[in-house]
Amino acid sequence: MSTRRILFNIFLVFGLLLAAYLLYKVFNRYTFDEILQSIDRIPRWRLVSGFAFCALSYLCLTGFDWMALRYVGRPLAYPKAAIASFTALAIGHNLGVAALSSGAVRYRYYTRWGLDAEEVAKVVLFCGVTVMLGLSALGGIVCLINPTDVSKLLGVSSSNPFWIGLGVLSLPVAYVVLSATVRSPLRLWKWCFTMPNIRLAVGQIAIGTLNFTFVAACLHQVLASEAPVSFVQSATAFVLANVAILVAHVPGGLGVLEATVTTVLPGAASIGGLVAFRVIYFLVPLLLGLPVFAISELITRNVKKKRLDKGREKPSEPQAQLL
């Protein structure tokens, strides 16, 4: 086993241990019956709304891949981009380290549809940049409109979130400016990145922000059943939790999300609401994505087998005609 692989496994184990510790700190004061009762108190219409916002988020995520394929000059039909995106992210959201988990699934799909390894890497990079742009845009907005909760969690004065928000919002603005003015490839260490055209750049920011808005709305639906929490507060908790998740690289944000939401919204962060959110946004898509991926792999294997069998067949000898 290579040194890189050993370090990756150690990092993954550390992330899982950290997740277990955070979950214990957040949930150890609840019994299993209390969890079930808390989930049962969530109105059914809020659960349905949560699933609807979850579906809208994954719909936005399919747009990431659809645009990325056009960015690399290898556009595919939307159904192909959608199935690759949903399957990759349904698995990647739960495993963490998206570039490796969801990237590997994307590689399996896109290489069989004609893309090479470099083009798949560019698709993964484009989608990763879209995530960062969307998170930056929504994060800047919540810093400007909800400085109280932001300053509470970050431990800064109430005036600092305003400047933090402006600084964060400058990232997507700078991205659009670069896409409109820079045509030569940008070099970062050994990597080379060509800016997308301005239409794709604006599309990345718009659909990336919408994606995180829908996820925050899903979280809001399950939290609002316990306390009069606003959507802005839910969005603030979700954005700050995602920043912590990106830093910690914990698979599925396990424990980090719950700990952050509990800190920002102690009155609304019921155990049932947080469990319901994790089931809606993480578990259900995973239960759908895994069989879809398995079926696609089985179909691909059968198609390859038939082609091999067909190639091995020898042309039959012409039968002698009886005179």
Side-chain angles (χ1 to χ4, degrees), residues 82-173:
I83 192 172
S85 172
F86 173 76
T87 307
L89 294 172
I91 296 173
H93 280 165
N94 287 272
L95 296 183
V97 195
L100 297 178
S101 54
S102 61
V105 177
R106 282 188 173 106
Y107 180 83
R108 293 290 295 174
Y109 278 106
Y110 291 138
T111 52
R112 73 177 64 145
W113 291 332
L115 277 72
D116 59 31
E118 182 180 354
E119 290 169 337
V120 176
K122 288 181 179 179
V123 168
V124 174
L125 177 61
F126 183 93
C127 292
V129 171
T130 307
V131 169
M132 296 304 299
L133 290 170
L135 187 60
S136 298
L138 186 58
I141 292 170
V142 300
C143 283
L144 295 179
I145 64 180
N146 190 22
T148 302
D149 288 325
V150 174
S151 60
K152 174 184 174 182
L153 186 62
L154 297 181
V156 298
S157 66
S158 57
S159 60
N160 286 346
F162 175 80
W163 301 108
I164 294 173
L166 289 182
V168 172
L169 284 174
S170 67
L171 296 177
V173 172

Coordinates of all heavy atoms in Angstrom, one line a residue, residues 82-173:
A82 N -27.5 14.1 -15.7 CA -28.3 14.0 -14.5 C -28.0 12.8 -13.7 O -27.9 12.8 -12.5 CB -29.8 14.2 -14.8
I83 N -28.0 11.6 -14.4 CA -27.8 10.4 -13.7 C -26.4 10.3 -13.1 O -26.2 9.8 -12.0 CB -28.1 9.2 -14.6 CG1 -28.2 7.9 -13.8 CG2 -27.1 9.0 -15.7 CD1 -28.7 6.7 -14.6
A84 N -25.4 10.8 -13.8 CA -24.0 10.8 -13.3 C -23.9 11.7 -12.1 O -23.3 11.3 -11.1 CB -23.1 11.2 -14.4
S85 N -24.5 12.9 -12.2 CA -24.4 13.8 -11.1 C -25.2 13.3 -9.9 O -24.6 13.3 -8.8 CB -25.1 15.2 -11.5 OG -25.2 16.1 -10.5
F86 N -26.4 12.9 -10.0 CA -27.2 12.4 -8.8 C -26.5 11.2 -8.2 O -26.3 11.2 -6.9 CB -28.6 12.0 -9.3 CG -29.4 11.4 -8.1 CD1 -29.8 12.2 -7.1 CD2 -29.6 10.0 -8.1 CE1 -30.5 11.6 -6.0 CE2 -30.3 9.5 -7.0 CZ -30.8 10.3 -6.0
T87 N -26.1 10.3 -9.0 CA -25.4 9.1 -8.4 C -24.1 9.4 -7.7 O -23.9 9.0 -6.5 CB -25.2 8.0 -9.5 OG1 -26.4 7.8 -10.2 CG2 -24.6 6.7 -8.9
A88 N -23.3 10.3 -8.3 CA -22.0 10.6 -7.7 C -22.2 11.4 -6.4 O -21.5 11.1 -5.4 CB -21.2 11.5 -8.7
L89 N -23.2 12.3 -6.4 CA -23.3 13.2 -5.2 C -24.1 12.5 -4.1 O -23.9 12.8 -2.9 CB -24.0 14.5 -5.6 CG -23.1 15.4 -6.5 CD1 -23.9 16.6 -7.1 CD2 -21.9 15.8 -5.8
A90 N -25.0 11.6 -4.5 CA -25.8 10.9 -3.5 C -24.8 10.0 -2.7 O -24.9 9.9 -1.4 CB -26.8 10.0 -4.1
I91 N -23.7 9.5 -3.3 CA -22.7 8.7 -2.6 C -21.7 9.7 -2.0 O -21.3 9.5 -0.9 CB -22.0 7.8 -3.6 CG1 -23.1 6.7 -4.2 CG2 -20.9 7.0 -3.0 CD1 -22.5 5.9 -5.3
G92 N -21.2 10.7 -2.8 CA -20.2 11.6 -2.3 C -20.6 12.4 -1.1 O -19.8 12.6 -0.2
H93 N -21.9 12.8 -1.0 CA -22.3 13.6 0.2 C -22.2 12.8 1.5 O -22.0 13.3 2.6 CB -23.8 14.0 0.0 CG -23.9 15.2 -0.9 ND1 -25.2 15.5 -1.4 CD2 -23.1 16.1 -1.3 CE1 -25.0 16.6 -2.1 NE2 -23.7 17.0 -2.1
N94 N -22.3 11.5 1.4 CA -22.2 10.6 2.6 C -20.8 10.2 2.9 O -20.5 10.0 4.1 CB -23.1 9.4 2.4 CG -24.6 9.7 2.5 OD1 -25.2 9.7 3.6 ND2 -25.2 10.0 1.4
L95 N -20.0 10.0 1.9 CA -18.6 9.5 2.2 C -17.6 10.7 2.4 O -16.6 10.4 3.1 CB -18.1 8.7 0.9 CG -18.9 7.4 0.6 CD1 -18.2 6.7 -0.6 CD2 -18.9 6.5 1.8
G96 N -17.9 11.9 2.0 CA -17.0 13.0 2.2 C -15.9 12.9 1.1 O -15.9 12.0 0.3
V97 N -14.9 13.8 1.2 CA -13.8 14.0 0.3 C -14.4 13.9 -1.1 O -14.1 12.9 -1.9 CB -12.7 12.9 0.5 CG1 -11.5 13.3 -0.2 CG2 -12.5 12.7 2.0
A98 N -15.2 14.8 -1.5 CA -16.0 14.8 -2.7 C -15.1 14.5 -4.0 O -15.5 13.8 -4.9 CB -16.8 16.0 -2.9
A99 N -13.9 15.1 -4.0 CA -13.1 15.0 -5.2 C -12.7 13.5 -5.4 O -12.5 13.1 -6.6 CB -11.8 15.8 -5.1
L100 N -12.7 12.7 -4.4 CA -12.3 11.3 -4.5 C -13.5 10.4 -4.7 O -13.6 9.6 -5.5 CB -11.5 10.9 -3.3 CG -10.1 11.6 -3.1 CD1 -9.5 11.1 -1.8 CD2 -9.2 11.4 -4.3
S101 N -14.5 10.7 -3.8 CA -15.7 9.8 -3.8 C -16.6 10.0 -5.0 O -16.8 9.2 -5.9 CB -16.5 9.9 -2.5 OG -16.8 11.3 -2.3
S102 N -17.2 11.2 -5.1 CA -18.1 11.6 -6.2 C -17.3 11.7 -7.5 O -17.8 11.3 -8.6 CB -18.8 12.9 -6.0 OG -17.9 14.0 -5.8
G103 N -16.0 12.1 -7.4 CA -15.2 12.1 -8.6 C -14.9 10.8 -9.2 O -14.9 10.6 -10.5
A104 N -14.8 9.7 -8.4 CA -14.6 8.4 -8.9 C -15.8 7.9 -9.6 O -15.7 7.2 -10.6 CB -14.2 7.4 -7.7
V105 N -17.0 8.2 -9.0 CA -18.2 7.8 -9.7 C -18.4 8.5 -11.0 O -18.8 7.9 -12.0 CB -19.4 8.0 -8.7 CG1 -20.8 7.7 -9.4 CG2 -19.3 7.2 -7.4
R106 N -18.2 9.8 -11.0 CA -18.2 10.5 -12.3 C -17.3 9.9 -13.3 O -17.6 9.8 -14.5 CB -17.9 12.0 -12.1 CG -19.0 12.8 -11.4 CD -18.6 14.3 -11.4 NE -19.7 15.1 -11.0 CZ -19.7 15.7 -9.8 NH1 -18.8 15.5 -8.9 NH2 -20.7 16.5 -9.5
Y107 N -16.1 9.5 -12.9 CA -15.1 8.9 -13.8 C -15.7 7.7 -14.5 O -15.5 7.5 -15.7 CB -13.8 8.6 -13.1 CG -12.8 8.0 -13.9 CD1 -12.0 8.8 -14.7 CD2 -12.6 6.6 -14.0 CE1 -11.0 8.3 -15.5 CE2 -11.6 6.1 -14.8 CZ -10.8 6.9 -15.6 OH -9.8 6.4 -16.4
R108 N -16.4 6.9 -13.7 CA -17.0 5.6 -14.2 C -18.0 5.9 -15.3 O -18.0 5.2 -16.3 CB -17.6 4.8 -13.1 CG -16.6 4.3 -12.0 CD -15.8 3.2 -12.6 NE -16.6 2.0 -13.0 CZ -16.1 0.9 -13.6 NH1 -14.9 0.9 -13.9 NH2 -16.9 -0.1 -13.8
Y109 N -18.8 6.9 -15.1 CA -19.8 7.2 -16.0 C -19.2 7.9 -17.3 O -19.5 7.5 -18.4 CB -20.9 8.2 -15.4 CG -21.9 7.4 -14.6 CD1 -21.9 7.5 -13.2 CD2 -22.9 6.7 -15.2 CE1 -22.9 6.9 -12.4 CE2 -23.9 6.1 -14.4 CZ -23.9 6.1 -13.1 OH -24.8 5.5 -12.3
Y110 N -18.5 9.0 -17.1 CA -18.1 9.8 -18.2 C -17.1 9.2 -19.1 O -17.1 9.4 -20.3 CB -17.6 11.2 -17.7 CG -18.7 12.0 -17.1 CD1 -18.5 12.7 -15.9 CD2 -20.0 12.1 -17.7 CE1 -19.5 13.5 -15.4 CE2 -21.0 12.9 -17.2 CZ -20.8 13.6 -16.0 OH -21.8 14.3 -15.5
T111 N -16.2 8.3 -18.6 CA -15.2 7.7 -19.5 C -15.9 6.7 -20.4 O -15.5 6.5 -21.5 CB -14.2 6.9 -18.6 OG1 -14.8 6.1 -17.7 CG2 -13.2 7.9 -18.0
R112 N -17.0 6.0 -19.9 CA -17.7 5.1 -20.8 C -18.5 5.9 -21.9 O -19.0 5.3 -22.8 CB -18.6 4.2 -20.0 CG -19.9 4.8 -19.4 CD -20.7 3.8 -18.7 NE -20.1 3.3 -17.5 CZ -20.7 3.0 -16.4 NH1 -22.0 3.2 -16.3 NH2 -20.1 2.4 -15.4
W113 N -18.7 7.2 -21.7 CA -19.4 8.0 -22.6 C -18.5 8.9 -23.5 O -18.9 9.8 -24.1 CB -20.4 8.9 -21.9 CG -21.6 8.1 -21.3 CD1 -22.1 7.0 -21.8 CD2 -22.4 8.5 -20.2 NE1 -23.1 6.5 -21.0 CE2 -23.3 7.5 -20.0 CE3 -22.3 9.6 -19.3 CZ2 -24.2 7.5 -18.9 CZ3 -23.3 9.6 -18.2 CH2 -24.2 8.6 -18.1
G114 N -17.2 8.5 -23.4 CA -16.2 9.1 -24.4 C -15.3 10.2 -23.8 O -14.4 10.6 -24.5
L115 N -15.4 10.6 -22.6 CA -14.5 11.6 -22.0 C -13.2 10.9 -21.5 O -13.2 9.7 -21.1 CB -15.1 12.3 -20.8 CG -16.1 13.5 -21.2 CD1 -17.4 13.0 -21.7 CD2 -16.3 14.3 -19.9
D116 N -12.1 11.6 -21.6 CA -10.9 11.1 -21.1 C -10.7 11.5 -19.7 O -11.4 12.3 -19.1 CB -9.7 11.4 -22.0 CG -9.5 12.9 -22.1 OD1 -9.8 13.7 -21.2 OD2 -9.0 13.4 -23.2
A117 N -9.6 11.1 -19.0 CA -9.3 11.4 -17.6 C -9.2 12.9 -17.4 O -9.7 13.4 -16.4 CB -8.1 10.6 -17.1
E118 N -8.5 13.5 -18.3 CA -8.3 15.0 -18.1 C -9.6 15.7 -18.2 O -9.9 16.7 -17.4 CB -7.3 15.5 -19.1 CG -7.0 17.0 -19.0 CD -6.1 17.5 -20.1 OE1 -5.6 16.7 -20.8 OE2 -5.9 18.7 -20.1
E119 N -10.5 15.4 -19.1 CA -11.8 16.0 -19.2 C -12.7 15.8 -18.0 O -13.4 16.7 -17.5 CB -12.5 15.5 -20.5 CG -11.8 16.1 -21.7 CD -12.3 15.4 -23.0 OE1 -12.8 14.2 -22.9 OE2 -12.2 16.0 -24.1
V120 N -12.6 14.5 -17.4 CA -13.4 14.2 -16.2 C -12.9 15.1 -15.1 O -13.6 15.6 -14.2 CB -13.3 12.7 -15.9 CG1 -14.0 12.5 -14.6 CG2 -13.9 11.9 -17.0
A121 N -11.5 15.2 -15.0 CA -11.0 16.0 -13.9 C -11.4 17.5 -14.0 O -11.7 18.1 -13.0 CB -9.4 16.0 -14.0
K122 N -11.5 18.0 -15.2 CA -12.0 19.4 -15.4 C -13.5 19.5 -15.0 O -13.9 20.5 -14.5 CB -11.8 19.8 -16.9 CG -10.4 20.0 -17.3 CD -10.3 20.5 -18.7 CE -8.8 20.7 -19.1 NZ -8.7 21.1 -20.5
V123 N -14.3 18.4 -15.3 CA -15.7 18.4 -14.9 C -15.8 18.5 -13.3 O -16.6 19.3 -12.8 CB -16.4 17.2 -15.4 CG1 -17.8 17.0 -14.7 CG2 -16.6 17.3 -16.9
V124 N -15.0 17.7 -12.7 CA -15.0 17.7 -11.2 C -14.5 19.0 -10.7 O -15.1 19.6 -9.7 CB -14.1 16.5 -10.7 CG1 -13.9 16.6 -9.2 CG2 -14.6 15.2 -11.1
L125 N -13.5 19.6 -11.3 CA -13.0 20.9 -10.8 C -14.1 22.0 -11.0 O -14.3 22.8 -10.1 CB -11.8 21.3 -11.6 CG -11.2 22.7 -11.3 CD1 -10.8 22.8 -9.8 CD2 -10.0 22.9 -12.2
F126 N -14.7 22.0 -12.2 CA -15.8 23.0 -12.5 C -16.9 22.9 -11.5 O -17.4 23.9 -11.0 CB -16.3 22.7 -13.9 CG -17.4 23.7 -14.4 CD1 -17.0 24.8 -15.1 CD2 -18.7 23.5 -14.1 CE1 -17.9 25.7 -15.5 CE2 -19.7 24.4 -14.5 CZ -19.3 25.5 -15.2
C127 N -17.3 21.6 -11.1 CA -18.4 21.5 -10.1 C -18.0 21.9 -8.8 O -18.7 22.5 -8.0 CB -18.8 20.0 -10.1 SG -19.6 19.4 -11.6
G128 N -16.7 21.6 -8.4 CA -16.2 22.1 -7.1 C -16.1 23.6 -7.0 O -16.5 24.2 -6.0
V129 N -15.7 24.3 -8.1 CA -15.7 25.7 -8.1 C -17.2 26.3 -8.0 O -17.4 27.3 -7.3 CB -15.1 26.2 -9.4 CG1 -15.3 27.8 -9.6 CG2 -13.6 25.9 -9.4
T130 N -18.1 25.6 -8.6 CA -19.5 26.0 -8.5 C -20.0 25.9 -7.1 O -20.8 26.8 -6.6 CB -20.4 25.2 -9.5 OG1 -19.9 25.2 -10.8 CG2 -21.8 25.7 -9.5
V131 N -19.6 24.9 -6.4 CA -20.0 24.7 -5.0 C -19.4 25.9 -4.2 O -20.2 26.5 -3.4 CB -19.5 23.4 -4.4 CG1 -19.6 23.3 -2.9 CG2 -20.3 22.2 -5.1
M132 N -18.2 26.2 -4.4 CA -17.5 27.3 -3.6 C -18.2 28.6 -3.9 O -18.3 29.5 -3.1 CB -16.0 27.3 -3.9 CG -15.3 26.1 -3.5 SD -15.5 25.7 -1.7 CE -14.8 27.2 -1.0
L133 N -18.5 28.9 -5.2 CA -19.1 30.1 -5.6 C -20.5 30.3 -4.9 O -20.9 31.3 -4.4 CB -19.3 30.2 -7.1 CG -18.0 30.4 -7.9 CD1 -18.2 30.3 -9.4 CD2 -17.3 31.8 -7.6
G134 N -21.3 29.2 -5.0 CA -22.6 29.2 -4.3 C -22.6 29.4 -2.8 O -23.3 30.2 -2.3
L135 N -21.6 28.7 -2.2 CA -21.5 28.9 -0.8 C -21.0 30.3 -0.4 O -21.4 30.9 0.6 CB -20.5 27.8 -0.2 CG -20.3 27.7 1.3 CD1 -21.7 27.4 1.9 CD2 -19.3 26.7 1.6
S136 N -20.1 30.8 -1.2 CA -19.6 32.2 -1.0 C -20.7 33.2 -1.1 O -20.8 34.1 -0.3 CB -18.4 32.5 -2.0 OG -17.3 31.7 -1.8
A137 N -21.5 33.1 -2.2 CA -22.6 34.0 -2.4 C -23.6 34.0 -1.2 O -24.0 35.0 -0.7 CB -23.3 33.7 -3.7
L138 N -24.1 32.8 -0.9 CA -25.1 32.7 0.2 C -24.4 33.1 1.5 O -25.1 33.7 2.4 CB -25.6 31.3 0.3 CG -26.8 31.1 1.3 CD1 -27.9 32.0 0.9 CD2 -27.3 29.6 1.3
G139 N -23.2 32.7 1.7 CA -22.5 33.0 3.0 C -22.3 34.5 3.1 O -22.5 35.1 4.2
G140 N -22.0 35.2 2.0 CA -21.9 36.7 2.1 C -23.2 37.3 2.4 O -23.3 38.3 3.2
I141 N -24.3 36.8 1.8 CA -25.6 37.3 2.0 C -26.0 37.2 3.5 O -26.5 38.1 4.1 CB -26.6 36.7 1.1 CG1 -26.4 37.1 -0.3 CG2 -28.1 37.1 1.5 CD1 -27.2 36.3 -1.4
V142 N -25.8 36.0 4.1 CA -26.3 35.8 5.5 C -25.4 36.6 6.5 O -25.9 37.1 7.5 CB -26.2 34.3 5.9 CG1 -27.2 33.5 5.0 CG2 -24.8 33.7 5.8
C143 N -24.1 36.9 6.1 CA -23.3 37.7 7.0 C -23.9 39.1 7.0 O -23.8 39.8 8.0 CB -21.9 37.7 6.5 SG -20.9 36.3 6.9
L144 N -24.4 39.6 5.9 CA -24.9 41.0 5.8 C -26.3 41.1 6.5 O -26.5 42.1 7.1 CB -25.0 41.4 4.3 CG -23.7 41.5 3.6 CD1 -23.9 41.9 2.1 CD2 -22.8 42.5 4.2
I145 N -27.1 40.1 6.3 CA -28.5 40.2 6.9 C -28.7 39.6 8.2 O -29.7 39.8 8.9 CB -29.5 39.7 5.8 CG1 -29.3 38.2 5.7 CG2 -29.4 40.4 4.5 CD1 -30.3 37.5 4.7
N146 N -27.8 38.8 8.7 CA -27.9 38.2 10.0 C -26.6 38.2 10.8 O -26.0 37.2 11.1 CB -28.4 36.7 9.9 CG -28.7 36.1 11.2 OD1 -29.0 36.8 12.2 ND2 -28.7 34.8 11.2
P147 N -26.0 39.4 11.0 CA -24.7 39.5 11.7 C -24.7 39.0 13.1 O -23.7 38.6 13.6 CB -24.4 41.0 11.6 CG -25.8 41.7 11.5 CD -26.6 40.7 10.7
T148 N -25.9 39.0 13.8 CA -25.9 38.6 15.2 C -25.5 37.2 15.4 O -24.6 36.9 16.2 CB -27.3 38.9 15.7 OG1 -27.7 40.2 15.6 CG2 -27.4 38.5 17.2
D149 N -26.1 36.3 14.6 CA -25.8 34.9 14.8 C -24.4 34.5 14.3 O -23.7 33.7 14.8 CB -26.9 34.0 14.0 CG -28.2 34.0 14.8 OD1 -28.2 34.1 16.0 OD2 -29.2 34.0 14.1
V150 N -24.0 35.2 13.2 CA -22.7 35.0 12.7 C -21.6 35.4 13.7 O -20.6 34.6 13.9 CB -22.5 35.8 11.3 CG1 -21.0 35.6 10.9 CG2 -23.4 35.3 10.3
S151 N -21.8 36.6 14.3 CA -20.8 37.0 15.3 C -20.8 36.1 16.5 O -19.8 35.9 17.1 CB -21.1 38.5 15.7 OG -22.4 38.6 16.2
K152 N -22.0 35.6 16.8 CA -22.1 34.7 18.0 C -21.2 33.4 17.8 O -20.5 33.0 18.7 CB -23.5 34.3 18.2 CG -23.8 33.3 19.3 CD -25.3 32.9 19.4 CE -25.5 31.8 20.4 NZ -26.9 31.4 20.4
L153 N -21.3 32.8 16.6 CA -20.6 31.6 16.4 C -19.1 31.8 16.2 O -18.3 31.0 16.7 CB -21.2 30.8 15.2 CG -20.7 29.4 15.0 CD1 -20.9 28.5 16.2 CD2 -21.2 28.8 13.7
L154 N -18.8 32.9 15.5 CA -17.4 33.1 15.1 C -16.7 33.8 16.3 O -15.4 33.9 16.3 CB -17.3 34.0 13.9 CG -17.9 33.4 12.6 CD1 -17.6 34.4 11.4 CD2 -17.2 32.1 12.3
G155 N -17.4 34.3 17.3 CA -16.8 34.9 18.4 C -16.1 36.3 18.1 O -15.1 36.6 18.6
V156 N -16.8 37.0 17.2 CA -16.3 38.3 16.8 C -17.3 39.4 17.2 O -18.4 39.1 17.5 CB -16.0 38.4 15.3 CG1 -14.9 37.4 14.9 CG2 -17.2 38.1 14.5
S157 N -16.9 40.7 17.0 CA -17.9 41.7 17.3 C -19.0 41.8 16.3 O -18.8 41.3 15.2 CB -17.2 43.1 17.4 OG -16.7 43.4 16.1
S158 N -20.1 42.4 16.6 CA -21.3 42.4 15.7 C -21.0 43.2 14.4 O -21.8 43.0 13.5 CB -22.5 43.0 16.5 OG -22.1 44.3 16.9
S159 N -20.0 44.0 14.4 CA -19.7 44.8 13.2 C -18.8 44.0 12.2 O -18.9 44.3 11.0 CB -19.0 46.1 13.5 OG -17.8 45.9 14.2
N160 N -18.1 43.0 12.7 CA -17.2 42.3 11.8 C -17.9 41.5 10.7 O -17.4 41.4 9.6 CB -16.3 41.4 12.6 CG -15.2 42.1 13.4 OD1 -15.0 43.3 13.1 ND2 -14.6 41.5 14.3
P161 N -19.1 40.9 11.0 CA -19.7 40.1 9.9 C -20.0 40.9 8.6 O -20.1 40.3 7.5 CB -21.0 39.6 10.6 CG -20.6 39.5 12.0 CD -19.7 40.6 12.2
F162 N -20.3 42.2 8.8 CA -20.5 43.0 7.6 C -19.3 43.0 6.7 O -19.5 42.8 5.4 CB -20.9 44.5 8.0 CG -21.0 45.4 6.9 CD1 -22.2 45.5 6.2 CD2 -20.0 46.3 6.5 CE1 -22.4 46.3 5.1 CE2 -20.1 47.1 5.4 CZ -21.3 47.2 4.7
W163 N -18.1 43.2 7.2 CA -16.9 43.2 6.4 C -16.6 41.8 5.9 O -16.1 41.7 4.8 CB -15.8 43.8 7.2 CG -16.1 45.2 7.6 CD1 -16.3 45.6 8.9 CD2 -16.2 46.4 6.8 NE1 -16.6 47.0 8.9 CE2 -16.5 47.5 7.6 CE3 -16.0 46.6 5.4 CZ2 -16.6 48.8 7.1 CZ3 -16.2 47.9 4.9 CH2 -16.5 49.0 5.8
I164 N -16.9 40.8 6.7 CA -16.7 39.4 6.3 C -17.6 39.1 5.1 O -17.2 38.5 4.1 CB -16.9 38.5 7.4 CG1 -15.9 38.6 8.5 CG2 -16.9 37.0 6.9 CD1 -16.2 37.8 9.8
G165 N -18.8 39.6 5.2 CA -19.8 39.4 4.1 C -19.3 40.0 2.8 O -19.4 39.4 1.7
L166 N -18.9 41.3 2.9 CA -18.4 42.0 1.7 C -17.2 41.2 1.1 O -17.1 41.1 -0.1 CB -18.0 43.4 2.0 CG -19.2 44.4 2.3 CD1 -18.7 45.8 2.6 CD2 -20.2 44.4 1.2
G167 N -16.3 40.8 2.0 CA -15.1 40.1 1.5 C -15.5 38.8 0.8 O -14.9 38.4 -0.3
V168 N -16.4 38.0 1.4 CA -16.8 36.8 0.8 C -17.6 37.0 -0.5 O -17.3 36.3 -1.5 CB -17.7 36.0 1.8 CG1 -18.3 34.7 1.1 CG2 -16.9 35.6 3.0
L169 N -18.4 38.0 -0.6 CA -19.1 38.3 -1.8 C -18.2 38.8 -2.9 O -18.5 38.7 -4.1 CB -20.2 39.4 -1.6 CG -21.5 38.9 -0.9 CD1 -22.4 40.1 -0.5 CD2 -22.2 37.9 -1.7
S170 N -17.0 39.3 -2.6 CA -16.1 39.7 -3.6 C -15.5 38.6 -4.4 O -15.1 38.8 -5.6 CB -14.9 40.5 -3.0 OG -14.1 39.6 -2.2
L171 N -15.6 37.3 -3.9 CA -15.1 36.2 -4.6 C -15.9 35.9 -5.9 O -15.3 35.8 -7.0 CB -15.0 35.0 -3.7 CG -14.1 35.1 -2.5 CD1 -14.2 33.8 -1.6 CD2 -12.7 35.3 -3.0
P172 N -17.2 35.7 -5.8 CA -18.0 35.5 -7.0 C -17.9 36.7 -8.0 O -17.9 36.5 -9.2 CB -19.4 35.2 -6.6 CG -19.5 35.7 -5.2 CD -18.1 35.6 -4.6
V173 N -17.8 37.9 -7.4 CA -17.7 39.1 -8.3 C -16.4 39.1 -9.1 O -16.4 39.3 -10.3 CB -17.8 40.4 -7.5 CG1 -17.5 41.6 -8.3 CG2 -19.2 40.5 -6.8

